[in-house]
Amino acid sequence: WDYSQLKTLFSQQQELRQFYTFNDVDVDRYPIGGSIRQVMLSAREMESTGTAQNWIARTLQYTHGYGAVMSPVNAKTPEGSPEFILRDIPMVGPASLIPKRPEVYFGETAQGHVIVNTRQQEFDSPSGDREVYGRYAGKAGIAVGGFLRRLLLTLRFADQNFLLSRELNPNSRVLFYRQVSERVKHLAPFLSLDVDPYLAIVDGRMVWIQDAYTTSDQYPYSRPFDAVAGTNYIRNAVKAVVDAYDGTVTLFISDPSDPIIRSYNRIFPGLFVPISRASASLRSHFRYPEGLFQIQTAMYGVYHMQDPNDFYLKTDAWDVATTRRGGDEPAEMDPYYLSMRLPGERRMEFMLVRPFVVRNKDNMAGWIAAQCDQPSYGRLIAYRFPKSVLTLGPSQIESRFNSDPEISRQVTLWSQQGSSVVRGNLLVIPVGGTLLYVQALYIQGKTATQEVPQLKKVLVAAENPQRVAMGDTLTDALSLLLSSTVELGGPVTAPSAPSAGGRPEPGRALPPDVSQWVKEANNHFRAAEQAQRAGDWSRYGTELQGLRDSLRRLEQGTSQ
């Protein structure tokens, strides 16, 4: 799923009321059904512009969002909509993923202040044809108190209702700094924050995880990555965790070797806590930050060269791979999270990946992966492709997709029916010793008020640059890609030899060794399908190579 298309569908199918909104879609992994599944999830937050524009409704009644939605990254309904793991209000899904407090008082869009525990009950959630109301049971915020404090709050928020409203009482509490990044920034203004805090459901709570950096422009003999600020040092030294219900902020030191965070820890004792105090379930949702990875990979395109002459002449420089996604101008590919097994490794891991091409060329030069799971968290691995062998880059694969007659015909047909075709992110997935390219096609129809996307087809390409396939699902497309070489599964006979009369003789049974190769090819094909369904791409690549070997022996044996 492309996150932008999925966000649109979340909004259409799961906002449920005009005052709810989904601000962003995050990628994570959760144990579901006995295995770790990669999912996309989003919090259902309160949209202040969607509530009645009077002070009581905006400040006292519509104070918070509710719950979250979650769907697998690689599954869809026959209609092209996402399959939901978590959905609806009240939340429906696996009991282990439903939080005890689904109310979202602190989030990415929470702006301004709200007042809880007033004479007005808060709107909690819709339930069928009625509305459920309740009261805040957390300890966040400060008490309104008596006249003097009300006067101070009036001056602080420029809101005279603190003095005039009869809805408030001394036990009412004001919640402010409710936006995640704003809340962390006020506690630790000396930290730089990643642009994308993400949601996690951990130990029955909904929390936001905000990556924070220590930075400097004083590191000697280093090139700045920020030309304006001159910043040439950055470390992901802190993982900030913000509770979505009570706003509690915990600043975990994720890089104790960083001298800057060690200094701040001595200056502000008690502000930070060691990451060892984070629960195992919380640490399982930490991921390598995308902002830091983008900086590192951009630098690595030049600084991977070890030879001084190569470095001076930039003869082996890399660029971040680009795609057009159906547009006119190429754009750099953003890093993307994948659950996969690295070549030579035994277990599946969650990681951040970015592909590279040769500078001023479109063919692949390498790719970099940042591991996100313990105990290998933070390890960066660079894979280089042989310079003497052509490996197609993402833009070249997109050209293959565009020039394929069947794909081109379908895209043209859909575009003529009052709809538009939108291409999703092109994913380059390392599979064993080869690459798998995957791209989703969405059809966007229009209603009276908005565009409605449907996940219509999945395009795939493998190592062989001449072979692409299109299917309704990833499984369908991969099956077509594999079967494009040879039809497997039916009765197989050797090619018929012409008889003296010019007519072919009936097919004869294959020799025992050739029959064994056919059996092996079928076994590899079925094993590759099973590995694909399980998301085990390393095993998939191994079985794919075994299939090629069997087909090669079969071709040689039947051509003699």
Side-chain angles (χ1 to χ4, degrees), residues 149-166:
R149 183 171 287 190
R150 286 193 183 200
L151 178 61
L152 294 174
L153 290 171
T154 299
L155 296 174
R156 165 64 178 81
F157 294 105
D159 186 352
Q160 62 184 357
N161 289 289
F162 281 102
L163 285 175
L164 302 179
S165 176
R166 297 181 179 179

Side-chain angles (χ1 to χ4, degrees), residues 28 41 44 86 103 111 131 141-142 144 206 215 295 350 366 382 390 404 412 419 451 482 495 528 557:
D28 207 342
L41 72 160
R44 188 185 289 106
L86 290 177
E103 300 93 335
Q111 297 180 352
E131 314 290 2
I142 60 173
V144 169
M206 293 175 62
T215 59
I295 293 171
F350 187 66
L390 173 65
D404 181 79
T412 302
S419 303
E451 294 183 333
L482 292 174

